[in-house]
Amino acid sequence: MQPIHTFSDTERDDIRAALGAITVDPYRDYLGFTAAVAALVRDGLPAPLVKVADQIRGERESGHSDVHALRNCPVDTELPTLSHSNPQVDKYARKKTYVGEAFLAAFGLLTTTPLLAYATRFNGDFFTDVFAIDKYFGKQTGYSDGELVFHNDRTAHPVRADFITLLGMRCPAEEMTYTAFIDGRSLLANLSADEEAVLRLPHFVTPFDVVSKDNNNSLTESAPHVIFENDHSIRYLDSHTTVSRTAPPEAKDALLALKSALSRAERKRHRILEGDLFTFANQDGLHNRELIEVVDVERSRSRWLLKTYAFRDQAAADHHTDRWINGIPGLVGD
């Protein structure tokens, strides 16, 4: 898909210069880091960033679009090399500037979508690395080196982000990896009223993802849940979500109809390049990862995206205040 805005080199450098003034480490002092970013936002970041964030916020609120791409965004000029054994530890030790993190934090503030993190995942970091980790190679997780089926992030969990934002930190130009997005409305358009009605009943279960199980080996599968709720929100992990043990026969038929709709629904594909920001609805659509062409496997595995989760608005964040950990807004205990 085409970016809605490509920053000029001058615009990019102006934004990078403003954000580069922040020296607080977001992995050691998240509250201090966010306070510094908020101060920059209050003082006024370069107008092109503010304008495009306003546009994205408006298109989300109006229902015009829940998926957007920006190009030539500022990232850190010097990036460390990460190992596949423990990239998080490498980042902590070697990454000394935080332009990418500040850009994502500012984007969250400007679009009024508060960030969230999970206390049991990646030390509760609000900025996580989509990067291949050895122990997840070949598994169905964003931290693998392979393709991902259409899904929501953390499908089985009770607290799920409304929006996901990805920033291309290191994206080898020779390797062709795409992220595709399907809007929930497009799926509903390919289902009958009877099929949709069944999919709005709690007849379905989803197994917990492999990373969650690593952090809590008592997790098996979700409680029975609906697949569609609200207007077009969807909760589904393709090839994993299935009918519950007590589901009626029509639930299986409706699930098969959804799989068929998934193959027919309109999808928007974007190849994230270095400096690209790709942001989309997590609960109102499904996304995947497609390896279109891999020329060099090791080079392909070096792809590094910086990722944030966000609530739809402050009201959604406030709804989960009882799950906050250590009084840190957005750090939930799920």
mmCIF file with all atom_site columns, all heavy atoms in Angstrom, residues 109-128:
data_model
loop_
_atom_site.group_PDB
_atom_site.id
_atom_site.type_symbol
_atom_site.label_atom_id
_atom_site.label_alt_id
_atom_site.label_comp_id
_atom_site.label_asym_id
_atom_site.label_entity_id
_atom_site.label_seq_id
_atom_site.pdbx_PDB_ins_code
_atom_site.Cartn_x
_atom_site.Cartn_y
_atom_site.Cartn_z
_atom_site.occupancy
_atom_site.B_iso_or_equiv
_atom_site.pdbx_formal_charge
_atom_site.auth_seq_id
_atom_site.auth_comp_id
_atom_site.auth_asym_id
_atom_site.auth_atom_id
_atom_site.pdbx_PDB_model_num
ATOM 1   N N   . LEU A 1 109 ? 1.317  9.710   21.579 1.00 0.00 ? 109 LEU A N   1
ATOM 2   C CA  . LEU A 1 109 ? 0.745  10.909  22.211 1.00 0.00 ? 109 LEU A CA  1
ATOM 3   C C   . LEU A 1 109 ? -0.024 11.752  21.202 1.00 0.00 ? 109 LEU A C   1
ATOM 4   O O   . LEU A 1 109 ? -1.127 12.235  21.496 1.00 0.00 ? 109 LEU A O   1
ATOM 5   C CB  . LEU A 1 109 ? 1.855  11.726  22.858 1.00 0.00 ? 109 LEU A CB  1
ATOM 6   C CG  . LEU A 1 109 ? 2.502  11.138  24.111 1.00 0.00 ? 109 LEU A CG  1
ATOM 7   C CD1 . LEU A 1 109 ? 3.718  11.965  24.523 1.00 0.00 ? 109 LEU A CD1 1
ATOM 8   C CD2 . LEU A 1 109 ? 1.487  11.091  25.260 1.00 0.00 ? 109 LEU A CD2 1
ATOM 9   N N   . LEU A 1 110 ? 0.536  11.930  20.023 1.00 0.00 ? 110 LEU A N   1
ATOM 10  C CA  . LEU A 1 110 ? -0.103 12.791  19.022 1.00 0.00 ? 110 LEU A CA  1
ATOM 11  C C   . LEU A 1 110 ? -1.393 12.182  18.480 1.00 0.00 ? 110 LEU A C   1
ATOM 12  O O   . LEU A 1 110 ? -2.303 12.919  18.071 1.00 0.00 ? 110 LEU A O   1
ATOM 13  C CB  . LEU A 1 110 ? 0.872  13.060  17.877 1.00 0.00 ? 110 LEU A CB  1
ATOM 14  C CG  . LEU A 1 110 ? 2.063  13.956  18.217 1.00 0.00 ? 110 LEU A CG  1
ATOM 15  C CD1 . LEU A 1 110 ? 3.103  13.919  17.101 1.00 0.00 ? 110 LEU A CD1 1
ATOM 16  C CD2 . LEU A 1 110 ? 1.616  15.392  18.482 1.00 0.00 ? 110 LEU A CD2 1
ATOM 17  N N   . THR A 1 111 ? -1.478 10.864  18.451 1.00 0.00 ? 111 THR A N   1
ATOM 18  C CA  . THR A 1 111 ? -2.708 10.212  17.982 1.00 0.00 ? 111 THR A CA  1
ATOM 19  C C   . THR A 1 111 ? -3.631 9.868   19.143 1.00 0.00 ? 111 THR A C   1
ATOM 20  O O   . THR A 1 111 ? -4.678 9.234   18.929 1.00 0.00 ? 111 THR A O   1
ATOM 21  C CB  . THR A 1 111 ? -2.383 8.928   17.195 1.00 0.00 ? 111 THR A CB  1
ATOM 22  O OG1 . THR A 1 111 ? -1.569 8.065   18.000 1.00 0.00 ? 111 THR A OG1 1
ATOM 23  C CG2 . THR A 1 111 ? -1.649 9.254   15.894 1.00 0.00 ? 111 THR A CG2 1
ATOM 24  N N   . THR A 1 112 ? -3.279 10.283  20.351 1.00 0.00 ? 112 THR A N   1
ATOM 25  C CA  . THR A 1 112 ? -4.045 10.045  21.586 1.00 0.00 ? 112 THR A CA  1
ATOM 26  C C   . THR A 1 112 ? -4.371 8.570   21.776 1.00 0.00 ? 112 THR A C   1
ATOM 27  O O   . THR A 1 112 ? -5.482 8.191   22.142 1.00 0.00 ? 112 THR A O   1
ATOM 28  C CB  . THR A 1 112 ? -5.332 10.901  21.653 1.00 0.00 ? 112 THR A CB  1
ATOM 29  O OG1 . THR A 1 112 ? -6.223 10.536  20.582 1.00 0.00 ? 112 THR A OG1 1
ATOM 30  C CG2 . THR A 1 112 ? -5.004 12.386  21.567 1.00 0.00 ? 112 THR A CG2 1
ATOM 31  N N   . THR A 1 113 ? -3.371 7.722   21.537 1.00 0.00 ? 113 THR A N   1
ATOM 32  C CA  . THR A 1 113 ? -3.503 6.280   21.757 1.00 0.00 ? 113 THR A CA  1
ATOM 33  C C   . THR A 1 113 ? -2.449 5.866   22.777 1.00 0.00 ? 113 THR A C   1
ATOM 34  O O   . THR A 1 113 ? -1.295 5.625   22.410 1.00 0.00 ? 113 THR A O   1
ATOM 35  C CB  . THR A 1 113 ? -3.325 5.498   20.437 1.00 0.00 ? 113 THR A CB  1
ATOM 36  O OG1 . THR A 1 113 ? -2.113 5.919   19.791 1.00 0.00 ? 113 THR A OG1 1
ATOM 37  C CG2 . THR A 1 113 ? -4.496 5.748   19.497 1.00 0.00 ? 113 THR A CG2 1
ATOM 38  N N   . PRO A 1 114 ? -2.815 5.776   24.066 1.00 0.00 ? 114 PRO A N   1
ATOM 39  C CA  . PRO A 1 114 ? -1.834 5.465   25.114 1.00 0.00 ? 114 PRO A CA  1
ATOM 40  C C   . PRO A 1 114 ? -1.182 4.099   24.906 1.00 0.00 ? 114 PRO A C   1
ATOM 41  O O   . PRO A 1 114 ? -1.858 3.120   24.580 1.00 0.00 ? 114 PRO A O   1
ATOM 42  C CB  . PRO A 1 114 ? -2.682 5.479   26.399 1.00 0.00 ? 114 PRO A CB  1
ATOM 43  C CG  . PRO A 1 114 ? -3.909 6.263   26.051 1.00 0.00 ? 114 PRO A CG  1
ATOM 44  C CD  . PRO A 1 114 ? -4.169 6.007   24.604 1.00 0.00 ? 114 PRO A CD  1
ATOM 45  N N   . LEU A 1 115 ? 0.121  4.047   25.111 1.00 0.00 ? 115 LEU A N   1
ATOM 46  C CA  . LEU A 1 115 ? 0.843  2.792   24.941 1.00 0.00 ? 115 LEU A CA  1
ATOM 47  C C   . LEU A 1 115 ? 0.557  1.841   26.106 1.00 0.00 ? 115 LEU A C   1
ATOM 48  O O   . LEU A 1 115 ? 0.254  2.266   27.224 1.00 0.00 ? 115 LEU A O   1
ATOM 49  C CB  . LEU A 1 115 ? 2.345  3.046   24.859 1.00 0.00 ? 115 LEU A CB  1
ATOM 50  C CG  . LEU A 1 115 ? 2.848  3.954   23.727 1.00 0.00 ? 115 LEU A CG  1
ATOM 51  C CD1 . LEU A 1 115 ? 4.374  3.906   23.672 1.00 0.00 ? 115 LEU A CD1 1
ATOM 52  C CD2 . LEU A 1 115 ? 2.246  3.578   22.382 1.00 0.00 ? 115 LEU A CD2 1
ATOM 53  N N   . LEU A 1 116 ? 0.669  0.536   25.822 1.00 0.00 ? 116 LEU A N   1
ATOM 54  C CA  . LEU A 1 116 ? 0.579  -0.461  26.877 1.00 0.00 ? 116 LEU A CA  1
ATOM 55  C C   . LEU A 1 116 ? 1.678  -1.492  26.705 1.00 0.00 ? 116 LEU A C   1
ATOM 56  O O   . LEU A 1 116 ? 2.231  -1.656  25.611 1.00 0.00 ? 116 LEU A O   1
ATOM 57  C CB  . LEU A 1 116 ? -0.783 -1.157  26.891 1.00 0.00 ? 116 LEU A CB  1
ATOM 58  C CG  . LEU A 1 116 ? -1.065 -2.214  25.821 1.00 0.00 ? 116 LEU A CG  1
ATOM 59  C CD1 . LEU A 1 116 ? -1.797 -3.397  26.435 1.00 0.00 ? 116 LEU A CD1 1
ATOM 60  C CD2 . LEU A 1 116 ? -1.911 -1.631  24.702 1.00 0.00 ? 116 LEU A CD2 1
ATOM 61  N N   . ALA A 1 117 ? 1.986  -2.172  27.792 1.00 0.00 ? 117 ALA A N   1
ATOM 62  C CA  . ALA A 1 117 ? 2.970  -3.248  27.786 1.00 0.00 ? 117 ALA A CA  1
ATOM 63  C C   . ALA A 1 117 ? 2.477  -4.323  28.739 1.00 0.00 ? 117 ALA A C   1
ATOM 64  O O   . ALA A 1 117 ? 1.568  -4.098  29.547 1.00 0.00 ? 117 ALA A O   1
ATOM 65  C CB  . ALA A 1 117 ? 4.342  -2.726  28.214 1.00 0.00 ? 117 ALA A CB  1
ATOM 66  N N   . TYR A 1 118 ? 3.098  -5.502  28.646 1.00 0.00 ? 118 TYR A N   1
ATOM 67  C CA  . TYR A 1 118 ? 2.708  -6.633  29.479 1.00 0.00 ? 118 TYR A CA  1
ATOM 68  C C   . TYR A 1 118 ? 3.846  -6.961  30.433 1.00 0.00 ? 118 TYR A C   1
ATOM 69  O O   . TYR A 1 118 ? 4.979  -7.200  30.005 1.00 0.00 ? 118 TYR A O   1
ATOM 70  C CB  . TYR A 1 118 ? 2.370  -7.838  28.609 1.00 0.00 ? 118 TYR A CB  1
ATOM 71  C CG  . TYR A 1 118 ? 1.201  -7.584  27.688 1.00 0.00 ? 118 TYR A CG  1
ATOM 72  C CD1 . TYR A 1 118 ? 1.404  -7.157  26.375 1.00 0.00 ? 118 TYR A CD1 1
ATOM 73  C CD2 . TYR A 1 118 ? -0.107 -7.733  28.137 1.00 0.00 ? 118 TYR A CD2 1
ATOM 74  C CE1 . TYR A 1 118 ? 0.330  -6.902  25.541 1.00 0.00 ? 118 TYR A CE1 1
ATOM 75  C CE2 . TYR A 1 118 ? -1.190 -7.475  27.304 1.00 0.00 ? 118 TYR A CE2 1
ATOM 76  C CZ  . TYR A 1 118 ? -0.959 -7.065  26.004 1.00 0.00 ? 118 TYR A CZ  1
ATOM 77  O OH  . TYR A 1 118 ? -2.019 -6.798  25.178 1.00 0.00 ? 118 TYR A OH  1
ATOM 78  N N   . ALA A 1 119 ? 3.535  -6.986  31.714 1.00 0.00 ? 119 ALA A N   1
ATOM 79  C CA  . ALA A 1 119 ? 4.575  -7.153  32.723 1.00 0.00 ? 119 ALA A CA  1
ATOM 80  C C   . ALA A 1 119 ? 5.309  -8.472  32.590 1.00 0.00 ? 119 ALA A C   1
ATOM 81  O O   . ALA A 1 119 ? 6.482  -8.580  32.980 1.00 0.00 ? 119 ALA A O   1
ATOM 82  C CB  . ALA A 1 119 ? 3.967  -7.032  34.119 1.00 0.00 ? 119 ALA A CB  1
ATOM 83  N N   . THR A 1 120 ? 4.650  -9.488  32.047 1.00 0.00 ? 120 THR A N   1
ATOM 84  C CA  . THR A 1 120 ? 5.266  -10.813 31.963 1.00 0.00 ? 120 THR A CA  1
ATOM 85  C C   . THR A 1 120 ? 6.004  -11.053 30.659 1.00 0.00 ? 120 THR A C   1
ATOM 86  O O   . THR A 1 120 ? 6.523  -12.143 30.436 1.00 0.00 ? 120 THR A O   1
ATOM 87  C CB  . THR A 1 120 ? 4.184  -11.896 32.117 1.00 0.00 ? 120 THR A CB  1
ATOM 88  O OG1 . THR A 1 120 ? 3.183  -11.712 31.105 1.00 0.00 ? 120 THR A OG1 1
ATOM 89  C CG2 . THR A 1 120 ? 3.535  -11.835 33.498 1.00 0.00 ? 120 THR A CG2 1
ATOM 90  N N   . ARG A 1 121 ? 6.068  -10.056 29.797 1.00 0.00 ? 121 ARG A N   1
ATOM 91  C CA  . ARG A 1 121 ? 6.731  -10.237 28.495 1.00 0.00 ? 121 ARG A CA  1
ATOM 92  C C   . ARG A 1 121 ? 7.843  -9.217  28.323 1.00 0.00 ? 121 ARG A C   1
ATOM 93  O O   . ARG A 1 121 ? 7.636  -8.022  28.492 1.00 0.00 ? 121 ARG A O   1
ATOM 94  C CB  . ARG A 1 121 ? 5.722  -10.090 27.348 1.00 0.00 ? 121 ARG A CB  1
ATOM 95  C CG  . ARG A 1 121 ? 4.715  -11.227 27.284 1.00 0.00 ? 121 ARG A CG  1
ATOM 96  C CD  . ARG A 1 121 ? 3.561  -10.877 26.395 1.00 0.00 ? 121 ARG A CD  1
ATOM 97  N NE  . ARG A 1 121 ? 3.929  -10.844 24.982 1.00 0.00 ? 121 ARG A NE  1
ATOM 98  C CZ  . ARG A 1 121 ? 3.806  -11.877 24.157 1.00 0.00 ? 121 ARG A CZ  1
ATOM 99  N NH1 . ARG A 1 121 ? 3.356  -13.041 24.603 1.00 0.00 ? 121 ARG A NH1 1
ATOM 100 N NH2 . ARG A 1 121 ? 4.121  -11.771 22.887 1.00 0.00 ? 121 ARG A NH2 1
ATOM 101 N N   . PHE A 1 122 ? 9.036  -9.679  27.987 1.00 0.00 ? 122 PHE A N   1
ATOM 102 C CA  . PHE A 1 122 ? 10.168 -8.816  27.655 1.00 0.00 ? 122 PHE A CA  1
ATOM 103 C C   . PHE A 1 122 ? 10.389 -7.730  28.712 1.00 0.00 ? 122 PHE A C   1
ATOM 104 O O   . PHE A 1 122 ? 10.542 -6.544  28.397 1.00 0.00 ? 122 PHE A O   1
ATOM 105 C CB  . PHE A 1 122 ? 9.970  -8.211  26.272 1.00 0.00 ? 122 PHE A CB  1
ATOM 106 C CG  . PHE A 1 122 ? 9.859  -9.258  25.190 1.00 0.00 ? 122 PHE A CG  1
ATOM 107 C CD1 . PHE A 1 122 ? 8.644  -9.505  24.568 1.00 0.00 ? 122 PHE A CD1 1
ATOM 108 C CD2 . PHE A 1 122 ? 10.953 -10.015 24.820 1.00 0.00 ? 122 PHE A CD2 1
ATOM 109 C CE1 . PHE A 1 122 ? 8.529  -10.488 23.589 1.00 0.00 ? 122 PHE A CE1 1
ATOM 110 C CE2 . PHE A 1 122 ? 10.849 -11.001 23.849 1.00 0.00 ? 122 PHE A CE2 1
ATOM 111 C CZ  . PHE A 1 122 ? 9.628  -11.239 23.230 1.00 0.00 ? 122 PHE A CZ  1
ATOM 112 N N   . ASN A 1 123 ? 10.360 -8.173  29.975 1.00 0.00 ? 123 ASN A N   1
ATOM 113 C CA  . ASN A 1 123 ? 10.641 -7.289  31.119 1.00 0.00 ? 123 ASN A CA  1
ATOM 114 C C   . ASN A 1 123 ? 9.673  -6.119  31.230 1.00 0.00 ? 123 ASN A C   1
ATOM 115 O O   . ASN A 1 123 ? 9.986  -5.101  31.852 1.00 0.00 ? 123 ASN A O   1
ATOM 116 C CB  . ASN A 1 123 ? 12.076 -6.749  31.053 1.00 0.00 ? 123 ASN A CB  1
ATOM 117 C CG  . ASN A 1 123 ? 13.105 -7.836  31.217 1.00 0.00 ? 123 ASN A CG  1
ATOM 118 O OD1 . ASN A 1 123 ? 12.840 -8.880  31.804 1.00 0.00 ? 123 ASN A OD1 1
ATOM 119 N ND2 . ASN A 1 123 ? 14.296 -7.609  30.676 1.00 0.00 ? 123 ASN A ND2 1
ATOM 120 N N   . GLY A 1 124 ? 8.507  -6.240  30.634 1.00 0.00 ? 124 GLY A N   1
ATOM 121 C CA  . GLY A 1 124 ? 7.538  -5.155  30.705 1.00 0.00 ? 124 GLY A CA  1
ATOM 122 C C   . GLY A 1 124 ? 7.885  -3.970  29.820 1.00 0.00 ? 124 GLY A C   1
ATOM 123 O O   . GLY A 1 124 ? 7.327  -2.880  29.991 1.00 0.00 ? 124 GLY A O   1
ATOM 124 N N   . ASP A 1 125 ? 8.777  -4.158  28.855 1.00 0.00 ? 125 ASP A N   1
ATOM 125 C CA  . ASP A 1 125 ? 9.173  -3.059  27.971 1.00 0.00 ? 125 ASP A CA  1
ATOM 126 C C   . ASP A 1 125 ? 7.984  -2.582  27.122 1.00 0.00 ? 125 ASP A C   1
ATOM 127 O O   . ASP A 1 125 ? 7.203  -3.387  26.616 1.00 0.00 ? 125 ASP A O   1
ATOM 128 C CB  . ASP A 1 125 ? 10.295 -3.488  27.027 1.00 0.00 ? 125 ASP A CB  1
ATOM 129 C CG  . ASP A 1 125 ? 11.621 -3.641  27.738 1.00 0.00 ? 125 ASP A CG  1
ATOM 130 O OD1 . ASP A 1 125 ? 11.748 -3.167  28.891 1.00 0.00 ? 125 ASP A OD1 1
ATOM 131 O OD2 . ASP A 1 125 ? 12.547 -4.249  27.150 1.00 0.00 ? 125 ASP A OD2 1
ATOM 132 N N   . PHE A 1 126 ? 7.914  -1.273  26.924 1.00 0.00 ? 126 PHE A N   1
ATOM 133 C CA  . PHE A 1 126 ? 6.882  -0.689  26.067 1.00 0.00 ? 126 PHE A CA  1
ATOM 134 C C   . PHE A 1 126 ? 7.313  -0.677  24.609 1.00 0.00 ? 126 PHE A C   1
ATOM 135 O O   . PHE A 1 126 ? 6.494  -0.444  23.730 1.00 0.00 ? 126 PHE A O   1
ATOM 136 C CB  . PHE A 1 126 ? 6.556  0.730   26.529 1.00 0.00 ? 126 PHE A CB  1
ATOM 137 C CG  . PHE A 1 126 ? 5.673  0.785   27.744 1.00 0.00 ? 126 PHE A CG  1
ATOM 138 C CD1 . PHE A 1 126 ? 6.188  0.522   29.010 1.00 0.00 ? 126 PHE A CD1 1
ATOM 139 C CD2 . PHE A 1 126 ? 4.327  1.095   27.629 1.00 0.00 ? 126 PHE A CD2 1
ATOM 140 C CE1 . PHE A 1 126 ? 5.382  0.573   30.131 1.00 0.00 ? 126 PHE A CE1 1
ATOM 141 C CE2 . PHE A 1 126 ? 3.510  1.142   28.750 1.00 0.00 ? 126 PHE A CE2 1
ATOM 142 C CZ  . PHE A 1 126 ? 4.034  0.876   30.004 1.00 0.00 ? 126 PHE A CZ  1
ATOM 143 N N   . PHE A 1 127 ? 8.587  -0.916  24.354 1.00 0.00 ? 127 PHE A N   1
ATOM 144 C CA  . PHE A 1 127 ? 9.117  -0.963  22.984 1.00 0.00 ? 127 PHE A CA  1
ATOM 145 C C   . PHE A 1 127 ? 9.794  -2.321  22.820 1.00 0.00 ? 127 PHE A C   1
ATOM 146 O O   . PHE A 1 127 ? 10.801 -2.602  23.472 1.00 0.00 ? 127 PHE A O   1
ATOM 147 C CB  . PHE A 1 127 ? 10.115 0.173   22.745 1.00 0.00 ? 127 PHE A CB  1
ATOM 148 C CG  . PHE A 1 127 ? 9.570  1.526   23.143 1.00 0.00 ? 127 PHE A CG  1
ATOM 149 C CD1 . PHE A 1 127 ? 9.887  2.069   24.391 1.00 0.00 ? 127 PHE A CD1 1
ATOM 150 C CD2 . PHE A 1 127 ? 8.735  2.231   22.300 1.00 0.00 ? 127 PHE A CD2 1
ATOM 151 C CE1 . PHE A 1 127 ? 9.383  3.296   24.769 1.00 0.00 ? 127 PHE A CE1 1
ATOM 152 C CE2 . PHE A 1 127 ? 8.215  3.456   22.679 1.00 0.00 ? 127 PHE A CE2 1
ATOM 153 C CZ  . PHE A 1 127 ? 8.539  3.990   23.911 1.00 0.00 ? 127 PHE A CZ  1
ATOM 154 N N   . THR A 1 128 ? 9.229  -3.164  21.994 1.00 0.00 ? 128 THR A N   1
ATOM 155 C CA  . THR A 1 128 ? 9.763  -4.515  21.839 1.00 0.00 ? 128 THR A CA  1
ATOM 156 C C   . THR A 1 128 ? 10.279 -4.715  20.421 1.00 0.00 ? 128 THR A C   1
ATOM 157 O O   . THR A 1 128 ? 9.892  -4.000  19.490 1.00 0.00 ? 128 THR A O   1
ATOM 158 C CB  . THR A 1 128 ? 8.704  -5.575  22.174 1.00 0.00 ? 128 THR A CB  1
ATOM 159 O OG1 . THR A 1 128 ? 7.560  -5.400  21.328 1.00 0.00 ? 128 THR A OG1 1
ATOM 160 C CG2 . THR A 1 128 ? 8.270  -5.460  23.625 1.00 0.00 ? 128 THR A CG2 1
#
